Amino acid sequence: MKKQQSRQERRKFLRKAGISGFAALLGADIVFALPRGYIPIALEAKDPQSLFGKHPDMVTLNDQPWNVEAQAHLLDDKVTPDDKMFIRNNGLVPESIDVENWSLTIRGEAVNQEKTYSLKELKEKFPKHTYQLVLECGGNGRAEYFPPADGNQWTIGAVSCAEWTGIRLRDLLNEVGVKANAIYVGYHAADTHLSRDPNKEPISRGIPIEKAMEDETILAFQMNGKDIPLVHGHPLRLIASGFPASVSGKWINGLSIRDKIHDGEKMAPPSYSIPCETVEPGTSVPNEKMCVIEKMPVKSLITYPKIGAMIKEGQKLPIRGHAWTAEERISKTEYSIDFGASWKPCRTAAPKNRFAWQHFDAEIDFPKKGYYEIWVKATDNTGAAQPMLTPGWNPKGYINNSCHRIAIKVT
Ligand SMILES: Nc1nc2c(c(=O)[nH]1)N[C@H]1C(S)=C(S)[C@@H](COP(=O)(O)O)O[C@H]1N2
Ligand SMILES: [Mo]
């Protein structure tokens, strides 16, 4: 009881401290005086609920670094609130964020001249845009692959669709001026490598210049109408939806405009890459035969009811969820209660904007009592649809977009 109370207190404290994060909790001078091996009391909390204000049902897969996923029923909101948003860190969350002096430096061999903007300048100089944007980890669904792949065993919860506000990367790049040979934009961020070596970046990925120039590719400073939560990239984050979320760098302080594919940490195969030609499960594939993942595949998630629901015979069951694609839009969603033998249409809502997930719903009549699985399948405007079984095995277990299914009972 006492422990619970103090946890609650701590949570309140953290919430109050909010975006200023650890530094505010600890006091800047304590951070600098911190001897190696000593753990500040406030960081003792070993759960993402107390540390980051996450929902009690969020599942921790790893705490060094933090990797925390949602469950399907937690993602029922139309726009994902921060307490239900998955966390995927490759390194350590920055301990101190100095918003006042935060800056973004644009450099690289394909930029006209190196230029630095303060966060304030970025906010004032360029028009602001707000979009609902899906972020899905490339490894979402990895747990289903056999033979299994190393890494976090994400099930279905490494996806979110929050509302992000920021400036278009295109507007910034146009002002800075990029050379005709610019083909890639890499990001640099303020998180710390797990080894704590200041010369190593935990992750520094990027996007092709065409992706950087899209309307919806933004440098965001707000999420769901407020400052971005610390763990999700405060005070500045790149969002390039439709690609694996690893390209959406958090805590951004630098961009490299490259005349070749960016070569930052976790950019080259085997990271976020799949065999260029499909292989049989269990094959070891040399890096030269791996291709970096760009567009994520079409996918959907049933967010209501929660798996294991029971209803009475004769009762209709409403179902709902979301579907998303890296293409223009979802064109249809369907459900099956006979393991894919037959499909019936769901209603599919229009997207708020490109790369926002689209909500679907249906009312299901069951023919008789018993155990059922409900499967949902989405199809996008290119005609691409979800497979019913785990698709294309790949050594690192990426881009599993098989149909989500839930079990229910009619009694
Ligand atoms: N700086 C930085 N940006 C990052 C990461 C990281 O570890 N450091 N992880 C990436 C990965 S792999 C994913 S899936 C998303 C996760 O975003 P979220 O934690 O806000 O949900 O952030 C991406 N951006
Ligand atoms: Mo990821």
Side-chain angles (χ1 to χ4, degrees):
M1 191 62 217
K2 195 157 171 233
K3 196 174 164 208
Q4 236 171 28
Q5 237 170 23
S6 71
R7 243 190 210 172
Q8 255 172 22
E9 285 305 301
R10 206 148 52 195
R11 210 171 298 170
K12 255 190 251 158
F13 185 31
L14 267 163
R15 217 178 285 139
K16 252 185 22 210
I19 44 91
S20 39
F22 298 152
L25 277 174
L26 301 173
D29 39 26
I30 300 179
V31 172
F32 296 123
L34 197 67
R36 233 164 228 275
Y38 285 69
I39 300 164
I41 295 284
L43 297 187
E44 227 180 25
K46 269 296 172 203
D47 62 279
Q49 284 74 23
S50 349
L51 272 178
F52 308 118
K54 292 294 168 186
H55 188 283
D57 293 351
M58 294 290 286
V59 181
T60 299
L61 302 179
N62 190 351
D63 63 4
Q64 279 177 344
W66 283 105
N67 283 282
V68 179
E69 76 169 331
Q71 303 184 49
H73 69 277
L74 290 177
L75 294 170
D76 195 39
D77 300 87
K78 290 195 163 159
V79 175
T80 312
D82 60 355
D83 67 326
K84 297 168 184 164
M85 179 177 275
F86 79 97
I87 303 172
R88 195 318 186 214
N89 286 344
N90 291 267
L92 305 167
V93 180
E95 286 188 356
S96 62
I97 301 284
D98 184 354
V99 185
E100 289 307 308
N101 295 309
W102 195 271
S103 65
L104 179 75
T105 300
I106 297 108
R107 53 179 179 270
E109 61 275 355
V111 74
N112 284 347
Q113 86 283 0
E114 183 173 313
K115 204 163 170 184
T116 297
Y117 291 85
S118 70
L119 183 60
K120 204 165 152 258
E121 274 177 304
L122 291 178
K123 289 182 181 178
E124 284 168 0
K125 234 179 165 156
F126 302 97
K128 294 185 181 64
H129 299 272
T130 297
Y131 297 106
Q132 290 178 10
L133 297 167
V134 168
L135 290 181
E136 183 179 17
C137 181
N140 197 24
R142 174 178 292 144
E144 294 297 316
Y145 282 107
F146 191 83
D150 289 345
N152 293 289
Q153 296 301 302
W154 303 106
T155 63
I156 41 92
V159 61
S160 65
C161 182
E163 192 167 82
W164 296 92
T165 300
I167 62 166
R168 285 192 176 132
L169 180 54
R170 181 178 70 215
D171 290 345
L172 176 69
L173 295 185
N174 283 344
E175 201 203 69
V176 178
V178 301
K179 294 183 184 158
N181 62 351
I183 65 157
Y184 232 83
V185 178
Y187 68 73
H188 304 279
D191 47 347
T192 307
H193 194 270
L194 288 177
S195 65
R196 294 184 188 269
D197 180 343
N199 298 316
K200 283 190 181 164
E201 295 183 284
I203 187 166
S204 169
R205 303 200 70 236
I207 46 178
I209 196 83
E210 300 76 35
K211 183 71 185 167
M213 293 297 182
E214 281 183 353
D215 285 359
E216 301 84 357
T217 299
I218 60 173
L219 288 166
F221 33 77
Q222 284 199 321
M223 185 183 107
N224 296 338
K226 288 180 284 189
D227 282 346
I228 301 173
L230 174 66
V231 75
H232 296 297
H234 175 72
L236 191 65
R237 173 170 200 173
L238 177 62
I239 306 274
S241 181
F243 276 38
S246 50
V247 305
S248 293
K250 308 192 269 191
W251 314 293
I252 291 296
N253 55 20
L255 292 174
S256 289
I257 316 302
R258 311 299 310 264
D259 65 2
K260 56 181 180 208
I261 296 176
H262 182 57
D263 50 6
E265 190 60 30
K266 303 202 177 178
M267 187 67 236
S271 294
Y272 304 100
S273 303
I274 54 171
C276 305
E277 282 169 24
T278 53
V279 297
E280 65 265 39
T283 308
S284 85
V285 183
N287 289 344
E288 315 83 72
K289 299 214 159 161
M290 299 274 269
C291 287
V292 175
I293 302 162
E294 297 197 333
K295 285 179 178 178
M296 291 288 285
V298 60
K299 200 162 171 180
S300 65
L301 191 63
I302 306 163
T303 60
Y304 184 88
K306 189 176 171 177
I307 190 165
M310 279 215 259
I311 57 162
K312 289 260 171 295
E313 194 179 8
Q315 214 181 328
K316 278 181 195 258
L317 178 68
I319 63 159
R320 60 176 179 262
H322 322 287
W324 61 96
T325 173
E327 302 294 344
E328 286 305 312
R329 59 186 283 142
I330 295 293
S331 53
K332 69 176 174 186
T333 51
E334 298 162 285
Y335 73 87
S336 175
I337 56 168
D338 56 11
F339 302 93
S342 67
W343 295 88
K344 292 207 170 85
C346 302
R347 269 182 300 269
T348 313
K352 181 81 198 259
N353 51 258
R354 189 162 64 142
F355 306 134
W357 62 22
Q358 289 173 242
H359 317 299
F360 67 79
D361 70 276
E363 282 215 320
I364 306 184
D365 263 324
F366 294 91
K368 57 182 186 189
K369 286 187 193 172
Y371 166 90
Y372 292 89
E373 282 187 19
I374 303 170
W375 296 14
V376 165
K377 177 171 72 168
T379 305
D380 71 19
N381 63 293
T382 69
Q386 292 181 262
M388 283 167 266
L389 299 175
T390 309
W393 183 92
N394 61 90
K396 304 268 285 175
Y398 295 121
I399 59 169
N400 174 7
N401 69 332
S402 59
C403 291
H404 181 219
R405 48 201 245 223
I406 60 166
I408 67 120
K409 252 180 181 178
V410 180
T411 58

